[in-house]
Amino acid sequence: MDGQPSAEVIAEIKDIPIYRASLEQGHFPLLDKPEIARGFPDNWMTPRLAAALKTGDAEFVLSTGTHHARMQIIRPPYFLLRSYYQLWSEHPDLAATWEAGCRRVSLTTVLATEHVARVNAAKRGEEPATVPDTADRQLDTRTSYVNLRLDPALWERDDVVRMLAEIDAARQAHPRGWYHLDCSSYHLAHLLRKIGTWRLWDAFPPPASIVHAYEYTPVNVRRFLEQHFACPIIDLFGSTELGYLFSSDRRGGYRPHLDRMSIELLPVAPGSEIFQLIVTSIRNPYMPLVRYRSGDCVRTQDGTPDPAKITRFCGRVKELLPTPHGPVSQGDLDRVIGTASSRVFVHQLQVTGEHEARLAYTTFDGNPVQAAEAAALESGVRELTGRRCRAEHRAHLPIGKSGKYAWLATDT
């Protein structure tokens, strides 16, 4: 399959300037983020889109860049939220909490909280407050955001007590005491550690279902969450510009949610079994994407480019580490670390020279790993990357400006 668009897709894009040359040539090359931005928004403008922008049926937003440039896009209001709600309502492990009318509490990056506050302030024609109150952090009648700090490792006791009170308010609003917790897995793990430190377990009502959807979840973080919760813990994969494409089940397998979408897998390098995700989507009517290079990496069950066999989402193409054995992804390093020690929490591989690296890490209990585990970490990294490695315990690894962690640092 060469990924060329179907007749249905062509009917949707026939008036969009960015696709004019491809339509004339009868061939669509891969679509990269710089090409999307070149001439924006005129390269996307059609009479339909111009009318939608005037009526408010379409809006300009920025994609949520982690460690790469953010991209301006056009989409219907609440496009990502509707995609989330549709998936929540249809997922076999989550549908019960959707149908029961659970409130959704979102514990994720402060940037997400600030976005909601800006939207609500704009509706009133005001600037958002420096510290948005509870009402300004309410996305709709069902969803509220609770985090007000960039780095969850630096939450203080008052921060945690406030968030727990807001979570409990969502629980009390439901006749059965249920709520749905939407989170970054790292943020939830930090919350659990803080609750344990300050012995606040009685103030934390367990959720009826959990979704983590904001960044790659390491093996050890997943294990840590599963030790604390009996409810379904589901991973969602998607993006601001595409909506949600895949979700995990309770056993860790992935199921597609490709409404008005198709995908291709292309190797990130010749011979590599890491594949980059290429998406064709007409789900967003104002900015349909044809053969869009999302920048995400996957691995499949048998190392073949079959989208039906995706078993892991393993990071970003721009964050691959070149090695003598081929590119290494975030997921590859995570697998090595999870095998060597279940105690490692946040970790970062810091490239310190042509043949050397340092593995900086924190642990769930705050103490360094034992000597045998440190040796296993170092040898595992050396075997994976071809670099001599020294494992170094840290009390704290700071989070990035985006509110997400960088697994790789090449400028140290």
Side-chain angles (χ1 to χ4, degrees):
M1 173 181 171
D2 65 359
Q4 296 304 303
S6 66
E8 180 188 12
V9 172
I10 289 174
E12 287 284 333
I13 65 171
K14 60 184 175 60
D15 298 325
I16 302 176
I18 195 173
Y19 297 120
R20 192 168 292 144
S22 297
L23 287 163
E24 291 172 355
Q25 295 164 10
H27 177 80
F28 288 75
L30 296 182
L31 179 64
D32 290 304
K33 289 177 170 67
E35 187 63 25
I36 288 173
R38 191 175 295 117
F40 185 92
D42 292 344
N43 56 348
W44 294 93
M45 197 58 62
T46 64
R48 178 190 184 194
L49 175 55
L53 288 167
K54 284 184 179 179
T55 60
D57 292 325
E59 63 180 6
F60 293 101
V61 298
L62 289 173
S63 66
T64 53
T66 307
H67 315 295
H68 52 85
R70 302 180 79 192
M71 176 178 68
Q72 195 170 28
I73 60 176
I74 307 165
R75 69 180 190 187
Y78 301 110
F79 173 74
L80 192 59
L81 182 69
R82 290 192 178 107
S83 175
Y84 186 108
Y85 281 176
Q86 179 181 359
L87 196 151
W88 181 9
S89 68
E90 296 173 353
H91 193 287
D93 295 316
L94 299 174
T97 55
W98 168 266
E99 292 167 0
C102 283
R103 297 281 182 92
R104 171 181 171 234
V105 177
S106 192
L107 176 71
T108 181
T109 68
V110 73
L111 274 71
T113 305
E114 290 170 349
H115 171 72
V116 172
R118 280 195 304 272
V119 169
N120 286 327
K123 290 177 182 177
R124 302 189 302 269
E126 301 173 0
E127 290 295 317
T130 304
V131 180
D133 61 20
T134 306
D136 270 356
R137 292 184 273 111
Q138 191 86 24
L139 181 58
D140 62 4
T141 57
R142 196 154 182 170
T143 295
S144 59
Y145 288 70
V146 297
N147 180 30
L148 293 174
R149 277 185 182 261
L150 175 63
D151 193 336
L154 303 181
W155 282 332
E156 297 178 353
R157 193 178 191 279
D158 287 349
D159 297 313
V160 174
V161 168
R162 175 191 55 78
M163 289 189 290
L164 293 179
E166 293 179 12
I167 290 171
D168 193 55
R171 177 195 64 81
Q172 291 184 38
H174 193 271
R176 300 176 68 176
W178 286 5
Y179 74 95
H180 173 72
L181 184 59
D182 167 74
C183 65
S184 152
S185 53
Y186 279 113
H187 283 69
L188 180 53
H190 276 296
L191 181 66
L192 293 173
R193 294 184 70 229
K194 298 287 186 180
I195 288 172
T197 297
W198 293 312
R199 299 178 180 176
L200 296 171
W201 292 112
D202 289 347
F204 181 44
S209 57
I210 298 173
V211 156
H212 54 81
Y214 291 83
E215 59 184 315
Y216 178 88
T217 293
V219 171
N220 285 345
V221 174
R222 173 85 187 188
R223 288 172 180 158
F224 184 70
L225 298 183
E226 289 175 341
Q227 290 169 3
H228 286 83
F229 299 105
C231 69
I233 304 174
I234 304 302
D235 179 29
L236 301 193
F237 171 81
S239 67
T240 309
E241 62 270 26
L242 292 168
Y244 291 100
L245 285 73
F246 288 84
S247 66
S248 71
D249 56 31
R250 296 186 76 160
R251 295 171 299 282
Y254 281 91
R255 56 198 303 269
H257 296 267
L258 298 175
D259 175 40
R260 296 167 69 80
M261 288 183 172
S262 61
I263 60 175
E264 308 165 59
L265 301 184
L266 299 179
V268 298
S272 176
E273 293 184 358
I274 302 173
F275 299 98
Q276 54 183 315
L277 199 64
I278 311 299
V279 183
T280 291
S281 173
I282 55 174
R283 186 185 290 177
N284 175 354
Y286 304 119
M287 199 170 173
L289 298 171
V290 178
R291 304 198 74 205
Y292 169 60
R293 200 193 311 254
S294 75
D296 299 293
C297 299
V298 303
R299 283 191 178 272
T300 58
Q301 184 178 8
D302 57 2
T304 63
D306 183 349
K309 295 181 178 179
I310 291 174
T311 56
R312 279 192 295 149
F313 293 87
C314 54
R316 303 282 301 174
V317 174
K318 285 189 175 182
E319 297 165 14
L320 292 172
L321 175 67
T323 78
H325 313 295
V328 164
S329 73
Q330 179 179 7
D332 299 331
L333 178 67
D334 178 47
R335 177 176 45 80
V336 166
I337 289 173
T339 301
S341 174
S342 62
R343 294 178 54 214
V344 172
F345 179 19
V346 181
H347 59 263
Q348 183 181 76
L349 185 65
Q350 300 171 348
V351 176
T352 55
E354 187 177 355
H355 303 291
E356 296 81 29
R358 175 171 55 240
L359 181 69
Y361 72 92
T362 70
T363 57
F364 293 103
D365 62 13
N367 299 313
V369 301
Q370 299 299 317
E373 290 176 301
L377 289 169
E378 293 169 351
S379 64
V381 172
R382 184 173 62 251
E383 182 178 346
L384 179 68
T385 68
R387 294 174 182 271
R388 295 185 294 274
C389 177
R390 184 174 74 257
E392 290 187 1
H393 176 258
R394 305 285 176 81
H396 174 236
L397 281 172
I399 207 162
K401 293 179 182 178
S402 65
K404 300 179 183 181
Y405 286 106
W407 76 275
L408 179 67
T410 58
D411 57 350
T412 54

